[in-house]
Amino acid sequence: MSAKKRCTFILLTLFYSAIVFAQGTVPESFPHPWYGKRIGYIGDSITDPNSYGDKIKKYWSFLQEWLGTTSYVYGISGRQWNDVPRQAELLKKEHGEEVDAIIVFMGTNDYNNSVPIGEWYTEKEEQVMAARGESKKLVTRKQRTFIMSNETYKGRINIGISQLKKLFPDKQIVLLTPLHRSFAEFGEKNVQPDESYQNNCGEYIDAYVEAIKEAGNLWGVPVIDFNAVTGINPMVEEQLIYLHDSGFDRLHPNTKGQERMARTLMYQLIALPVGFN
């Protein structure tokens, strides 16, 4: 993209954002590129329609109102990245080619359940045919191979994205990084420390966030850094206005938090194409 076109795109995006912010709705004269699209949502309790039921209006529900989208929601409370293939396969089975895009919002439960981060791939020396200014010949070079394993976080992401790209090769797939998280206690056997503590693997939530960003480059998938761009951090007491309950659940965004997530997502999606077929 030329500098002139890039500048024009940025100005149009800012103009559009200003209109939406002022009106609170999508202007018909400048429709959002995702307007009316059919979106599959893969995730955990923050996405799950059954998590807190009518007490919390979910981010995808706001997008339905603002953008006229259709939501195919498969998120289930407590699920981790190893559940992405199952949710993706169910989405494919039930809606097939009806889907325009898939948004994956996972990772916080992998952190809480102390799934080892692991590595993206293995390396070993192999022979490969190559040529550069001379006749082709076999040369020895290192080759990397993606690790497909449910035993590690990165291995799970490899499996999940690989399956998504096979099932939906011509659809837009978008990854969201995990949100910041604070203390939650859902019973005697489910007490979750805040993100200032390492998990049992000796990892902070940051490592799980960074892995999603890395996956975007490794697999060619857009990543929206929800951890940063939503602006929500329940570790700051004053920002608990966005969380469900300051007493026992500083983990799940309430309706106000979900709305902020939705507005963030709506603006971020302006920059991503959708509907390739």
Side-chain angles (χ1 to χ4, degrees):
M1 182 184 292
S2 68
K4 184 177 180 180
K5 288 183 178 179
R6 189 180 301 111
C7 183
T8 301
F9 173 78
I10 293 171
L11 288 173
L12 285 173
T13 301
L14 290 173
F15 173 70
Y16 173 83
S17 299
I19 294 175
V20 174
F21 181 79
Q23 296 183 355
T25 58
V26 177
E28 294 182 3
S29 59
F30 193 79
H32 194 292
W34 286 59
Y35 187 85
K37 298 305 181 184
R38 300 159 298 183
I39 308 172
Y41 293 92
I42 291 175
D44 49 41
S45 57
I46 298 178
T47 301
D48 186 354
N50 296 313
S51 177
Y52 288 114
D54 295 336
K55 293 181 180 179
I56 297 178
K57 184 175 180 179
K58 299 303 193 307
Y59 65 94
W60 47 263
S61 184
F62 282 106
L63 292 184
Q64 286 180 177
E65 291 183 7
W66 302 336
L67 299 181
T69 57
T70 299
S71 301
Y72 305 133
V73 185
Y74 289 87
I76 297 179
S77 181
R79 296 305 170 96
Q80 304 166 38
W81 257 93
N82 60 352
D83 196 49
V84 169
R86 186 196 64 80
Q87 293 185 32
E89 287 162 11
L90 192 56
L91 172 63
K92 180 70 174 183
K93 178 181 178 182
E94 295 183 351
H95 297 288
E97 292 304 309
E98 297 175 9
V99 183
D100 294 305
I102 301 97
I103 293 177
V104 184
F105 190 16
M106 285 280 204
T108 195
N109 289 312
D110 297 83
Y111 159 77
N112 185 56
N113 284 276
S114 300
V115 177
I117 294 293
E119 302 293 338
W120 290 115
Y121 43 75
T122 58
E123 288 182 307
K124 65 177 180 179
E125 289 189 342
E126 294 283 358
Q127 285 198 313
V128 63
M129 194 68 71
R132 189 178 63 183
E134 56 186 17
S135 298
K136 65 179 182 180
K137 62 180 179 180
L138 283 174
V139 296
T140 300
R141 295 182 180 177
K142 277 191 175 181
Q143 179 188 33
R144 65 184 188 183
T145 304
F146 279 111
I147 296 172
M148 301 291 182
S149 170
N150 277 317
E151 300 303 311
T152 67
Y153 186 56
K154 290 180 178 178
R156 291 177 171 189
I157 294 174
N158 284 339
I159 293 173
I161 298 180
S162 175
Q163 186 69 349
L164 281 166
K165 281 187 169 286
K166 290 175 183 176
L167 292 171
F168 305 99
D170 61 344
K171 309 302 180 183
Q172 181 65 278
I173 300 168
V174 181
L175 306 182
L176 308 182
T177 61
L179 294 170
H180 284 275
R181 46 182 293 144
S182 191
F183 176 78
E185 183 173 3
F186 303 115
E188 184 69 26
K189 296 183 179 180
N190 190 356
V191 180
Q192 304 182 26
D194 66 52
E195 67 175 40
S196 67
Y197 296 93
Q198 293 179 331
N199 62 14
N200 287 335
C201 288
E203 299 284 359
Y204 292 105
I205 185 66
D206 311 51
Y208 296 80
V209 172
E210 289 303 315
I212 298 295
K213 297 181 193 178
E214 292 173 10
N217 284 317
L218 289 170
W219 283 98
V221 180
V223 176
I224 297 176
D225 188 4
F226 251 31
N227 189 263
V229 297
T230 60
I232 299 174
N233 188 344
M235 294 295 289
V236 178
E237 289 285 326
E238 288 76 7
Q239 284 212 302
L240 293 178
I241 55 174
Y242 292 112
L243 281 300
H244 177 61
D245 190 297
S246 61
F248 74 94
D249 184 0
R250 300 183 173 196
L251 178 64
H252 295 97
N254 56 20
T255 297
K256 186 180 181 71
Q258 292 271 353
E259 181 178 5
R260 181 160 179 165
M261 290 161 55
R263 288 196 180 277
T264 300
L265 187 56
M266 180 172 66
Y267 297 147
Q268 294 288 317
L269 290 176
I270 293 173
L272 296 178
V274 66
F276 298 100
N277 53 352

